[in-house]
Amino acid sequence: MTTTYTSYKLITADLTKSLERVSEQPDVARETEYYLSKIGSIKTIDDFFADSRLYNYAMKAHGLEDMAYAKAFMRKVLSEGIDSDDAFANKLTDGRYKALVESLNFARNGEAATSFDRAQKGVADKYARQTLEQNAGEENAGVRLALYFSRMAPTITSGYAIIADEALAQVVRTALQLPDEFAATDVDRQAEAYEAAIDLKDFQDPEKLAAFLDRFTALWEVNNSTDSYDPLAVFGSSSGYGISSDLLLSINSLKLGGR
């Protein structure tokens, strides 16, 4: 059995090739072909929501597959865009929503929103990466966490950003050898501890990030035996990283149509 460290290294040694293999999987290739053939004809948010296959593809590409059911919530995200500080997506701690708007910015670009490369190949590339991470997680949750962290790490600018994402927090707690109970301590104390222990600028440096993830994957292997560890406990669901209680409250407060 390959270790977490070895599996992660095998995937990332030639990440481009790993992503190509995922893209060539029949189910992935089929869904990507459909998305690329149809997305350019989508001119409005209503058009986008009307095609469930397109909508679900874009949601998965941005790691939001677990939120696909919350269409009123997602309509509000897309309708308000990200240009205003008061825009809904900018108020959400989770950066996945802002990333979705950046890919499909109907609020800013109107009917031209889907004509840009970021709305077409950019989303397809994200879909392949999400699938790669999910496939890796079926074999080893630690590898999925490491892949996710390597993708998200450059966006981490504060200890609070780590706290806001349980997957990121799990990686950091493991690397720092902090007990899971630490997550229940005061939020400000957690943020201070993370910022004191890690120079977050190191996550912008590929070599330092690689060293951090080498440490994580080695410690993950020690702390989580294959026989006793349940990967769903980390990821919240088979497709995403779970939904916080405050987010659920926000969803329930929305009226149909996102108004």
Side-chain angles (χ1 to χ4, degrees):
M1 182 182 296
T2 56
T3 66
T4 304
Y5 174 85
T6 302
S7 296
Y8 175 70
K9 288 296 188 182
L10 285 172
I11 292 172
T12 56
D14 190 342
L15 187 57
T16 299
K17 192 66 176 179
S18 296
L19 288 168
E20 285 178 358
R21 285 195 292 268
V22 168
S23 298
E24 291 167 358
Q25 293 175 5
D27 56 336
V28 176
R30 182 172 57 250
E31 292 306 307
T32 298
E33 181 181 8
Y34 180 84
Y35 179 84
L36 292 176
S37 70
K38 299 291 186 180
I39 190 61
S41 65
I42 299 299
K43 303 301 181 184
T44 67
I45 293 176
D46 286 338
D47 292 343
F48 178 62
F49 279 92
D51 189 325
S52 295
R53 194 171 172 185
L54 276 181
Y55 169 73
N56 289 331
Y57 184 97
M59 291 292 283
K60 178 177 177 178
H62 292 84
L64 292 167
E65 192 173 9
D66 56 329
M67 289 294 294
Y69 76 95
K71 290 191 174 181
F73 183 92
M74 297 311 304
R75 181 181 290 275
K76 186 171 177 63
V77 168
L78 287 169
S79 297
E80 295 191 12
I82 53 175
D83 292 340
S84 168
D85 290 340
D86 293 332
F88 190 44
N90 288 333
K91 292 181 178 179
L92 298 172
T93 305
D94 192 331
R96 291 177 297 174
Y97 300 99
K98 185 176 179 179
L100 176 65
V101 177
E102 289 173 341
S103 294
L104 298 165
N105 201 331
F106 290 100
R108 179 189 300 163
N109 300 311
E111 293 187 357
T114 61
S115 66
F116 297 99
D117 185 67
R118 60 178 174 270
Q120 298 186 19
K121 184 178 183 299
V123 173
D125 289 346
K126 290 178 186 293
Y127 187 91
R129 178 62 188 246
Q130 286 289 338
T131 305
L132 172 68
E133 293 176 14
Q134 289 181 18
N135 290 350
E138 292 176 2
E139 299 293 329
N140 187 315
V143 176
R144 182 180 180 184
L145 279 168
L147 288 168
Y148 177 75
F149 193 92
S150 70
R151 175 165 58 86
M152 298 299 294
T155 69
I156 298 174
T157 57
S158 72
Y160 295 101
I162 296 171
I163 298 168
D165 187 324
E166 176 53 27
L168 297 181
Q170 179 73 80
V171 172
V172 174
R173 287 199 304 270
T174 300
L176 298 181
Q177 295 183 285
L178 295 170
D180 288 339
E181 291 75 13
F182 183 72
T185 61
D186 178 76
V187 170
D188 292 333
R189 180 187 170 195
Q190 289 183 59
E192 290 175 2
Y194 291 146
E195 291 174 9
I198 304 169
D199 184 347
L200 299 180
K201 292 180 181 178
D202 287 352
F203 293 151
Q204 309 291 329
D205 184 322
E207 291 186 3
K208 292 180 179 179
L209 175 58
F212 182 85
L213 288 173
D214 285 350
R215 175 179 173 83
F216 162 74
T217 52
L219 288 170
W220 180 267
E221 189 69 24
V222 172
N223 297 334
N224 299 280
S225 67
T226 304
D227 294 334
S228 64
Y229 186 72
D230 177 11
L232 298 186
V234 174
F235 295 108
S237 73
S238 61
S239 60
Y241 298 103
I243 308 169
S244 65
S245 58
D246 60 329
L247 186 52
L248 284 172
L249 288 172
S250 296
I251 294 169
N252 291 334
S253 70
L254 293 172
K255 298 179 181 179
L256 292 178
R259 299 179 179 81

